[in-house]
Amino acid sequence: MSRYCLALDLVDDPQLIAEYEKYHEKIWPEIHDSITGGGITDMEIYRFGNRLFMIMETGAGFSFDKKGAMDAANPKVQEWELLMWKYQQAIPGARPGEKWVLMNKIFSL
């Protein structure tokens, strides 16, 4: 098992943040299936202000490249991603068009 931590910002608008959270109360079944089918075994998202932090655990053989290719070929995932981009904005330091940014682990107890 591997654990990854990623960050993303939301558009700093209380109404949009509330809408974003509402979508995540019950994600579309196709999105759930895409997440688990891509080798992600657990995922949590936390928010402080407009900053999001995701903890993602994956099984053996998980690859960001493989998951990205699966998502690119899935019209429902593309529809979800386009919808979510209305609420999201790149975190400072992200490459153009990059959403979730992988964080570097700097400490472990």
Side-chain angles (χ1 to χ4, degrees), residues 37-108:
I40 299 167
T41 58
D42 194 31
M43 178 184 285
E44 296 177 333
I45 300 174
Y46 297 84
R47 181 179 69 81
F48 178 78
N50 71 319
R51 176 76 33 100
L52 297 179
F53 175 70
M54 177 193 296
I55 302 170
M56 187 172 80
E57 294 182 354
T58 64
F62 173 81
S63 151
F64 281 102
D65 289 336
K66 180 181 169 187
K67 178 70 170 97
M70 288 174 58
D71 290 349
N74 185 324
K76 203 64 174 177
V77 170
Q78 291 305 303
E79 180 183 349
W80 174 267
E81 291 299 328
L82 183 62
L83 175 62
M84 292 302 106
W85 198 235
K86 169 184 174 181
Y87 306 100
Q88 301 167 334
Q89 61 184 2
I91 196 168
R95 295 184 305 248
E98 186 175 34
K99 288 187 174 197
W100 289 97
V101 176
L102 190 60
M103 300 177 78
N104 296 318
K105 182 198 275 187
I106 64 164
F107 174 79
S108 182

Side-chain angles (χ1 to χ4, degrees), residues 5-64:
C5 298
L6 301 99
L8 173 75
D9 283 347
L10 294 175
V11 174
D12 198 5
D13 177 300
Q15 180 177 341
L16 292 178
I17 290 172
E19 288 176 22
Y20 185 84
E21 288 188 355
K22 188 78 171 160
Y23 274 109
H24 285 79
E25 287 176 10
K26 185 170 177 147
I27 61 172
W28 299 349
E30 299 90 349
I31 302 309
H32 178 274
D33 293 347
S34 171
I35 292 169
T36 58
I40 299 167
T41 58
D42 194 31
M43 178 184 285
E44 296 177 333
I45 300 174
Y46 297 84
R47 181 179 69 81
F48 178 78
N50 71 319
R51 176 76 33 100
L52 297 179
F53 175 70
M54 177 193 296
I55 302 170
M56 187 172 80
E57 294 182 354
T58 64
F62 173 81
S63 151
F64 281 102

